[in-house]
Amino acid sequence: MCNLESKIIKAIEKNKLDFGFMGTGSVKITLILSDEEIKQFKEIEIDEHINKLYTLELEGNKLYVSYFTPQIKATT
């Protein structure tokens, strides 16, 4: 995994921990990318697993990342 992918995943995990997402929740973060990270973002193919879970949108040097956590129903 490249540094940028790792940065994205760590930021989402931190956001989920900071705001205590359990069950259904939408996680949205904005990352400010360096010129090198923008170049890296444009060159990498995001893992298929990541593509299914995250929405990534680059505007200028801002990377907007959205992630929806589905509610898991407990069974008894």
Side-chain angles (χ1 to χ4, degrees):
M1 179 182 318
C2 74
N3 291 339
L4 182 56
E5 285 179 88
S6 179
K7 180 178 180 176
I8 292 166
I9 291 169
K10 285 179 183 177
I12 287 174
E13 293 303 319
K14 181 181 181 327
N15 187 280
K16 288 193 313 189
L17 287 173
D18 288 350
F19 293 100
F21 284 103
M22 304 207 41
T24 302
S26 179
V27 176
K28 295 178 183 177
I29 59 169
T30 302
L31 298 172
I32 306 300
L33 303 184
S34 66
D35 290 341
E36 181 61 33
E37 288 172 326
I38 291 170
K39 182 180 175 189
Q40 188 179 52
F41 179 78
K42 291 178 179 180
E43 291 176 354
I44 63 172
E45 285 188 35
I46 302 292
D47 178 297
E48 183 178 323
H49 172 73
I50 300 296
N51 271 342
K52 289 181 181 178
L53 299 176
Y54 301 92
T55 300
L56 305 167
E57 184 179 338
L58 184 63
E59 274 186 23
N61 69 332
K62 294 181 181 178
L63 179 63
Y64 299 100
V65 182
S66 299
Y67 174 75
F68 181 75
T69 58
Q71 184 173 2
I72 299 172
K73 198 172 196 175
T75 58
T76 54

